[in-house]
Amino acid sequence: MPQVSKFDMSGKEIGDFELNDKVFDEDVNEHVVHQVITAQLAAKRRGTASTKTRSEVRGGGRKPWRQKGTGRARHGTIRSPLWVGGGITFGPKPRSYKKKVNKKMKRLALRSILTDKVNNDQLKIIEKLDYDKPKTKQVVNLVKDFDLEDKKVLIVLAEKNDNVYLSARNLPNVDTMVLDAMNAYQLLDNEYILVPEEAAQKIEEVLSEWKKHEIL
């Protein structure tokens, strides 16, 4: 089983933490990670861009001039795409950009990213992370103790914790995420991940169970 150091809230190493190899020792599948993140970003697109075709533009019901005898080119409507103010040819229409990705791929992507973070020493296990009241300075000191002031840091919590969330939300390089909302893009977008021991155990429990029931 892979083993990482365990720290207290002051950044002091207090022991080792054994990780579940079913979750944190996966073969990193970059292709699947790319597909999952592409699908996740595509799902965020609103797809509301719209243009009018020549049949939808108002006006242009009368032929602008007779067919022959004027010396000018033949036109049937001033709302032709050739005219200023006319319809748009092959313009965008409202659509969905969603790409279908099955659960097996999403789970594999999560395990791949977590494994990569462990391999690069970018996942830190904290014995406990809790504050009596929200205060930004607490998270500033936490990040400073781990020497991560100039890094993008993600704190993964086992469950919603308002004191931690409110303490971190004003810091541009620090993000928080509850385990239930864990996603590939957010994990990969942040260089370092801080995980309380309780959250790490739940991640192992959830992702190892997912792998156990998959047909590989």
Side-chain angles (χ1 to χ4, degrees):
M1 288 187 176
Q3 195 174 69
V4 296
S5 299
K6 182 168 66 173
F7 303 87
D8 60 15
M9 290 175 60
S10 65
K12 181 181 177 181
E13 186 175 342
I14 57 175
D16 295 322
F17 185 83
E18 284 194 357
L19 299 169
N20 191 326
D21 55 1
K22 293 181 179 179
V23 178
F24 295 95
D25 195 18
E26 177 71 67
D27 292 331
V28 179
N29 193 321
E30 296 180 2
H31 178 64
V32 169
V33 172
H34 178 268
Q35 281 188 286
V36 171
I37 290 180
T38 299
Q40 188 176 339
L41 294 177
K44 290 184 176 182
R45 298 184 65 176
R46 302 183 70 176
T48 54
S50 181
T51 54
K52 292 182 179 181
T53 65
R54 62 183 294 167
S55 65
E56 296 169 324
V57 178
R58 184 175 180 180
R62 182 174 65 86
K63 188 173 175 66
W65 50 76
R66 66 180 188 269
Q67 183 81 346
K68 295 179 179 292
T70 65
R72 291 182 287 186
R74 298 170 292 183
H75 289 287
T77 173
I78 61 172
R79 296 300 177 237
S80 163
L82 302 177
W83 287 62
V84 174
I88 303 297
T89 305
F90 304 128
K93 286 291 185 181
R95 54 164 292 191
S96 172
Y97 287 93
K98 289 184 179 180
K99 300 177 182 292
K100 186 175 181 181
V101 177
N102 59 43
K103 291 181 180 179
K104 180 179 175 181
M105 293 177 65
K106 292 179 181 178
R107 298 162 187 170
L108 177 56
L110 291 176
R111 293 196 298 266
S112 294
I113 295 172
L114 290 171
T115 297
D116 185 66
K117 294 294 185 185
V118 171
N119 293 341
N120 291 288
D121 195 28
Q122 294 176 326
L123 186 141
K124 309 292 184 183
I125 301 295
I126 305 175
E127 181 183 24
K128 183 182 179 183
L129 185 60
D130 195 14
Y131 300 121
D132 296 330
K133 58 182 180 180
K135 196 171 183 181
T136 303
K137 189 174 182 179
Q138 297 171 139
V139 178
V140 170
N141 291 335
L142 174 69
V143 173
K144 186 177 180 180
D145 290 336
F146 281 93
D147 196 24
L148 301 175
E149 297 100 320
D150 299 326
K151 309 294 183 182
K152 291 190 69 175
V153 178
L154 174 66
I155 301 174
V156 180
L157 303 172
E159 55 189 19
K160 186 177 180 181
N161 187 318
D162 288 335
N163 288 340
V164 175
Y165 168 73
L166 293 173
S167 298
R169 69 174 179 176
N170 286 334
L171 300 176
N173 292 334
V174 180
D175 198 5
T176 58
M177 179 177 66
V178 180
L179 176 59
D180 291 343
M182 188 167 62
N183 61 84
Y185 177 75
Q186 211 165 356
L187 288 178
L188 198 61
D189 186 50
N190 290 275
E191 189 173 353
Y192 284 85
I193 303 177
L194 303 182
V195 187
E197 186 174 353
E198 179 188 7
Q201 292 171 346
K202 287 191 175 183
I203 290 174
E204 292 179 338
E205 179 183 342
V206 173
L207 288 181
S208 62
E209 283 297 313
W210 281 350
K211 187 169 184 179
K212 181 179 178 181
H213 293 93
E214 286 175 3
I215 302 174
L216 300 177

